[in-house]
Amino acid sequence: MYDTRADHKGRTRGPQQEDRDITYALFYSVLCIMEQVLFDEILILSVEENPQIYDKRRSSYKDEKMKENTWLSIAASLNTNLDNDIKYYCDFKLVEKDGNTFLEVTDSRTELQPSDLKINLENLFNGDRLLGPQTNMFLNENWQEVFKELSPAFTEAFSQIFKLIINNVASNVLYNDLFPEKLPKYSVSVASEGGGIRRADIVALDKTNSKGFILDPTVRFETSQTQPSEVNKEKQQIYEPTIPYFREKYQMEGTWEVHGLMIGARGTIPRSTVNTIKTFGIHDIIPKIITSTIKGSVAILKNHLYGIS
């Protein structure tokens, strides 16, 4: 459900100006949708709090009705629903720049079919307390006809925003990096004892003392003081089943440890993460981690708000 809000102020307007006001408000709502960064964070937290919808190790994971009800509950808490359908199609070409090849989107189109549309325009007719609410009531009761009339503006807005975001990324990343012929192996993929594939970001070996370490750094939006410990336990549950594989692979039967290294999205480094990093004698990278994390968060925010990479 889209909640469309706009503020219109000014002198007396004629019918044509009011039509343009309504069109602008609905068009502006599309941009507002793209700016809901906090919505994304709440959604992520809601999913994390319901592992039964993604954790195959849980017996409740196979309960399709339960998972459907969980998703409906999350959707209700976010004041949205699961029935809005957005499809984006695009064509692209390869362009050469300074001897490098980049991808560039040329033509694009969007298909948008909402299951509901909530409209609330403020200060219509110079704030008239009768005409304003009546207009909103009419628009909400006839939202399907309104959307059908204005859907070209909606879909064109989405197409332009998606195109801008994709091109901002593609113009700064080499085509071969986006679609490499052979995927680089930045992490170690391994089948765990409980089934499924796990990817260990960092595997460190202390061959002198026959010790192995599986390290998984993860950036999370900070929510509580207990979060670092919770993240560590979460990573241990995920990666401890892979220890037999690494013992065999590296012929190291000694002690193996799993450490989930939480890094705050706002650049905070929990004490537990600092202590683990110091254990490996690489604590001088902490300032770089902080700077890099803040830059990444700001880039994501700018991308959400303005489509700037």
Side-chain angles (χ1 to χ4, degrees), residues 4 20-33 150 152-158 160-161:
T4 306
R20 285 196 293 272
D21 284 346
I22 294 173
T23 302
Y24 169 79
L26 293 174
F27 183 82
Y28 177 79
S29 71
V30 177
L31 301 180
C32 293
I33 293 170
L150 297 175
F154 270 98
T155 54
E156 177 62 21
F158 269 109
Q160 292 300 320
I161 291 171

Side-chain angles (χ1 to χ4, degrees), residues 12 32 49 54 57 66 72 110 116 126 142 159 178 193-194 210 223 232 237 246-247 249 262 280 283 294 307:
T12 304
C32 293
E49 291 172 356
Y54 63 84
R57 295 173 299 176
M66 182 278 298
L72 290 172
T110 302
D116 195 8
N126 287 328
N142 300 275
S159 295
L178 285 174
E193 281 189 331
S210 188
T223 58
N232 187 46
Q237 290 177 351
F246 288 115
R247 278 198 172 121
K249 178 179 176 64
M262 177 185 158
F280 294 94
H283 54 277
I294 294 175

Side-chain angles (χ1 to χ4, degrees), residues 56-88:
K56 294 182 179 180
R57 295 173 299 176
R58 293 177 176 265
S59 58
S60 55
Y61 177 81
K62 296 182 179 180
D63 189 337
E64 296 298 330
K65 187 63 177 177
M66 182 278 298
K67 288 196 291 186
E68 179 182 354
N69 290 335
T70 301
W71 278 116
L72 290 172
S73 176
I74 292 174
S77 68
L78 294 171
N79 192 29
T80 185
N81 57 56
L82 303 178
D83 300 324
N84 298 316
D85 187 15
I86 301 177
K87 296 179 180 178
Y88 178 70

Side-chain angles (χ1 to χ4, degrees), residues 29-300:
S29 71
V30 177
L31 301 180
C32 293
I33 293 170
M34 304 301 294
E35 296 177 2
Q36 295 181 2
V37 177
L38 290 179
F39 177 95
D40 297 341
E41 296 295 345
I42 296 173
L43 174 59
I44 291 171
L45 291 174
S46 298
V47 172
E48 287 180 345
E49 291 172 356
N50 292 276
Q52 67 271 19
I53 61 179
Y54 63 84
D55 190 347
K56 294 182 179 180
R57 295 173 299 176
R58 293 177 176 265
S59 58
S60 55
Y61 177 81
K62 296 182 179 180
D63 189 337
E64 296 298 330
K65 187 63 177 177
M66 182 278 298
K67 288 196 291 186
E68 179 182 354
N69 290 335
T70 301
W71 278 116
L72 290 172
S73 176
I74 292 174
S77 68
L78 294 171
N79 192 29
T80 185
N81 57 56
L82 303 178
D83 300 324
N84 298 316
D85 187 15
I86 301 177
K87 296 179 180 178
Y88 178 70
Y89 306 88
C90 69
D91 296 323
F92 66 87
K93 64 179 182 180
L94 299 181
V95 297
E96 296 292 329
K97 185 171 64 175
D98 298 329
N100 295 311
T101 304
F102 297 88
L103 178 149
E104 180 180 305
V105 174
T106 53
D107 300 315
S108 64
R109 65 183 176 89
T110 302
E111 295 178 0
L112 172 61
Q113 186 55 57
S115 61
D116 195 8
L117 184 67
K118 202 73 172 178
I119 304 171
N120 181 30
L121 306 180
E122 299 178 357
N123 292 326
L124 291 173
F125 306 100
N126 287 328
D128 188 290
R129 295 186 178 181
L130 177 62
L131 293 178
Q134 289 296 323
T135 300
N136 280 320
M137 182 182 299
F138 173 81
L139 292 174
N140 281 293
E141 290 177 350
N142 300 275
W143 72 267
Q144 291 177 316
E145 288 74 15
V146 173
F147 177 78
K148 183 178 180 181
E149 184 70 23
L150 297 175
S151 61
F154 270 98
T155 54
E156 177 62 21
F158 269 109
S159 295
Q160 292 300 320
I161 291 171
F162 290 146
K163 181 178 179 180
L164 177 63
I165 293 173
I166 293 173
N167 279 337
N168 278 338
V169 173
S171 64
N172 290 282
V173 182
L174 296 176
Y175 175 77
N176 288 336
D177 289 338
L178 285 174
F179 303 103
E181 294 183 4
K182 186 176 182 180
L183 292 176
K185 195 170 184 180
Y186 294 118
S187 57
V188 180
S189 298
V190 52
S192 67
E193 281 189 331
I197 300 297
R198 299 286 181 258
R199 285 188 174 87
D201 286 343
I202 302 173
V203 177
L205 304 177
D206 180 358
K207 293 184 177 181
T208 302
N209 298 304
S210 188
K211 294 184 66 175
F213 303 88
I214 301 172
L215 310 176
D216 191 76
T218 181
V219 178
R220 298 287 177 88
F221 191 81
E222 303 92 327
T223 58
S224 68
Q225 292 183 343
T226 60
Q227 190 179 13
S229 175
E230 294 167 357
V231 168
N232 187 46
K233 291 179 181 178
E234 171 193 324
K235 298 301 181 180
Q236 288 174 343
Q237 290 177 351
I238 292 173
Y239 291 107
E240 283 180 349
T242 68
I243 289 178
Y245 168 85
F246 288 115
R247 278 198 172 121
E248 181 178 353
K249 178 179 176 64
Y250 296 109
Q251 295 297 302
M252 189 174 293
E253 295 295 329
T255 304
W256 281 81
E257 298 178 5
V258 176
H259 294 276
L261 306 179
M262 177 185 158
I263 301 168
R266 288 171 284 197
T268 57
I269 307 294
R271 175 57 58 185
S272 57
T273 299
V274 172
N275 290 339
T276 301
I277 292 174
K278 286 183 176 180
T279 300
F280 294 94
I282 53 173
H283 54 277
D284 57 320
I285 69 169
I286 292 177
K288 295 180 180 179
I289 293 175
I290 295 173
T291 303
S292 177
T293 302
I294 294 175
K295 285 183 177 179
S297 295
V298 171
I300 293 172

